[in-house]
Amino acid sequence: MTERIKKISGTSKKKLFAGSSLSLFCSYTMPQLLKRVKSSNFVYKIYSHHQTAVLVTVTAAATAIAYYCYHKSSAQHHHDIEISRQKGIDKRKSLKRPEEKYASLRIDKRFVNPFDEWTEIPFYKTVLFWMGRWKGNGIPKCEQELDKTLPVMKPNLDQIRNPGKSVTFTWFGQSTCLMTIDGLTILSDPVFSKCSINDYFGPKRLRPIPCPLEDFIDNVDIVVVSHDHFDHLDEAAVKKLGNSVVWYIPLGLKNWFVKRGVTNVIELDWWQEVCHKNTDITIACVPAMHWSGSRTPFEKNNTLWCSYVIKASNDKIFFCGDTGYSPELFKAIGNLYAPFTLAAIPIGSFMPTQLMQHLHMGPEDAIKAHFDLGCPRVSVGIHWGTFMMSDEHYLAPRQVLDTVWEQYINAAKDQPSLVSEFSVTATKFITTAFGQTISID
């Protein structure tokens, strides 16, 4: 036994120790706690029976052993996938076209990230992170304080319904944005629930929804979905919108929609473009560095994840799905599609860095992406201040963005050679209030 433990990796030792600790808890600590419960307590009477105690202890021990065995085989499987992923990346390094170099990559029926920057986060680290989510993120208990720091406005529905030639943008929280371009109304990652999973489960929404979906549902023409995580795809909203809109979704997600009676969907692979029916609008699916599959424990990366470019005759919108920062990726998108009139770029859920940096961009990375994209006329920070699912202060995304952006602009002004490259006089990166409608002429 001692020799065998020496061969177990440090991580596996921790997992085996955790399982053993669980067994000890059930066999020793639990009875000690139950002794403090009155003898009339029904639970105590059941557990105090010697057969029940033995059964619970044996079950806990067996679970620990089974989990260790599963982890050992699973770790080898993940190791094999990682080797295959790296081989796939190495084969593509000589390719020039981004559509080939950063084409979607699937190994063993699951999608993987074809980016050098990507690092797989072990499941147990994610679990430990969520178990420690007690910090509060500095959120004030006073609603009046939240009204000041995270104001909620009524969307300008008249302007949205009659945008003219302007591009308009309205943020509903997280990555739910209502955008108009060439008279077409586009909704992104629709989530209108009170919590991140639904109205009852998950981190609660910090601020109320600016207005119900029903207030403008008849005006929506297109919905783009970046991936299937709960905070980006609200089942109730999907059922409300139904087949009245055209859904643009990443590969593998169509079956989920069809099971809910929604068939007006178009699946897209990375770099695939589709001309929206009876319009001059083109929807382009572009890569992102993220993952998918949080609805059940068995579906991780079964479906693709992405960002979108919406092209009209005179304007272009970049809607960025959840992604870590990859400079080559954003430069490739910028080289292919810039200039952009509007970019919606995530700036939140970036702490702790070692866990989040490959999944989400913080404000500094978002600004780098802004420049890589060729300096959109207006970039708007999204995916912050809605559901607290990371460790940063609830206002940090906006505060850091403002500070770092000012530093970039001042540095560019001090170096005239950078002004033309960054076009600092014609570009800005802002945040908006929930529900605030802005117009870009």
Side-chain angles (χ1 to χ4, degrees):
M1 182 65 182
T2 304
E3 180 66 22
R4 182 174 178 81
I5 290 177
K6 285 182 179 179
K7 293 180 181 180
I8 299 174
S9 68
T11 301
S12 297
K13 286 181 182 178
K14 292 178 183 177
K15 294 177 184 294
L16 188 58
F17 175 77
S20 302
S21 299
L22 178 62
S23 300
L24 288 172
F25 176 81
C26 292
S27 60
Y28 176 75
T29 310
M30 183 65 80
Q32 296 300 318
L33 290 173
L34 288 173
K35 283 181 181 179
R36 298 178 179 272
V37 182
K38 293 181 180 180
S39 59
S40 60
N41 186 283
F42 180 70
V43 175
Y44 172 73
K45 286 184 177 180
I46 292 178
Y47 192 87
S48 62
H49 192 282
H50 70 280
Q51 291 181 346
T52 304
V54 170
L55 178 62
V56 171
T57 302
V58 170
T59 301
T63 301
I65 294 171
Y67 179 76
Y68 164 68
C69 294
Y70 165 77
H71 168 72
K72 190 174 182 181
S73 61
S74 177
Q76 182 61 46
H77 179 65
H78 288 307
H79 177 69
D80 293 342
I81 289 179
E82 179 59 22
I83 290 176
S84 298
R85 188 183 78 89
Q86 286 296 337
K87 286 182 178 178
I89 293 174
D90 292 341
K91 286 181 180 178
R92 297 177 174 191
K93 286 188 174 178
S94 60
L95 300 175
K96 301 298 182 183
R97 297 178 67 242
E99 300 95 318
E100 297 174 346
K101 189 173 183 178
Y102 298 120
S104 61
L105 179 61
R106 191 184 300 194
I107 299 172
D108 195 20
K109 298 181 180 180
R110 296 180 186 272
F111 292 100
V112 296
N113 282 288
F115 311 107
D116 283 322
E117 294 87 354
W118 173 258
T119 299
E120 188 73 28
I121 303 298
F123 177 71
Y124 82 93
K125 286 189 177 182
T126 304
V127 172
L128 291 175
F129 166 73
W130 279 103
M131 289 174 65
R133 288 287 298 121
W134 53 269
K135 298 181 180 180
N137 302 97
I139 301 169
K141 295 181 180 179
C142 177
E143 196 71 19
Q144 287 76 12
E145 182 64 23
L146 279 174
D147 287 338
K148 295 178 182 178
T149 57
L150 291 176
V152 180
M153 301 173 62
K154 282 288 184 182
N156 189 336
L157 295 180
D158 288 338
Q159 187 177 25
I160 292 169
R161 290 169 181 145
N162 303 285
K165 295 183 179 180
S166 301
V167 171
T168 70
F169 173 89
T170 309
W171 183 47
F172 283 78
Q174 205 65 347
S175 294
T176 305
C177 311
L178 192 64
M179 301 165 283
T180 62
I181 182 171
D182 265 16
L184 210 64
T185 304
I186 301 166
L187 182 65
S188 66
D189 286 4
V191 175
F192 291 86
S193 54
K194 296 177 182 177
C195 302
S196 63
I197 296 178
N198 54 39
D199 282 337
Y200 309 101
F201 298 103
K204 292 182 179 180
R205 189 181 286 266
L206 295 188
R207 306 297 288 132
I209 300 166
C211 75
L213 173 60
E214 289 79 3
D215 284 5
F216 59 88
I217 192 169
D218 293 336
N219 303 107
V220 180
D221 301 296
I222 291 172
V223 182
V224 293
V225 176
S226 65
H227 62 299
D228 67 353
H229 287 164
F230 286 107
D231 60 318
H232 293 260
L233 184 58
D234 177 3
E235 185 171 355
V238 170
K239 290 179 178 178
K240 286 180 183 178
L241 288 158
N243 291 304
S244 65
V245 300
V246 179
W247 296 82
Y248 290 92
I249 60 176
L251 278 183
L253 199 49
K254 183 175 181 178
N255 190 49
W256 184 90
F257 279 83
V258 171
K259 285 181 178 179
R260 286 149 184 83
V262 181
T263 56
N264 196 13
V265 298
I266 298 175
E267 274 191 337
L268 296 176
D269 195 1
W270 288 352
W271 306 112
Q272 187 176 355
E273 298 183 359
V274 175
C275 184
H276 185 66
K277 60 180 182 179
N278 303 322
T279 70
D280 293 327
I281 301 290
T282 298
I283 309 295
C285 175
V286 294
M289 186 168 72
H290 200 58
W291 65 288
S292 69
S294 61
R295 294 176 181 268
T296 75
F298 311 107
E299 60 182 13
K300 183 175 181 180
N301 294 351
N302 281 351
T303 64
L304 197 55
W305 47 93
C306 67
S307 298
Y308 290 95
V309 173
I310 299 105
K311 299 192 297 181
S313 53
N314 296 314
D315 296 291
K316 295 174 189 173
I317 295 174
F318 176 63
F319 169 71
C320 188
D322 281 3
T323 182
Y325 177 63
S326 171
E328 285 194 27
L329 170 61
F330 283 104
K331 287 175 182 176
I333 295 171
N335 291 337
L336 198 60
Y337 292 107
F340 293 103
T341 303
L342 169 71
I345 303 178
I347 61 171
S349 293
F350 61 92
M351 295 293 289
T353 303
Q354 66 272 20
L355 190 67
M356 296 294 185
Q357 65 180 344
H358 309 111
L359 306 173
H360 302 116
M361 292 190 294
E364 294 185 62
D365 284 340
I367 290 174
K368 293 176 185 176
H370 171 92
F371 290 131
D372 293 339
L373 291 166
C375 293
R377 285 177 57 191
V378 178
S379 284
V380 184
I382 61 173
H383 200 271
W384 72 280
T386 309
F387 307 114
M388 294 312 302
M389 298 186 290
S390 53
D391 280 353
E392 72 266 14
H393 188 276
Y394 80 108
L395 294 178
R398 183 176 68 198
Q399 293 170 342
V400 175
L401 178 74
D402 291 345
T403 300
V404 176
W405 178 254
E406 186 176 0
Q407 292 172 353
Y408 267 92
I409 296 303
N410 290 337
K413 288 179 179 178
D414 292 340
Q415 301 179 56
S417 61
L418 296 177
V419 174
S420 58
E421 179 184 352
F422 289 163
S423 303
V424 294
T425 58
T427 187
K428 56 184 176 180
F429 202 141
I430 64 172
T431 57
T432 67
F434 295 107
Q436 180 182 356
T437 300
I438 63 171
S439 177
I440 308 168
D441 299 320

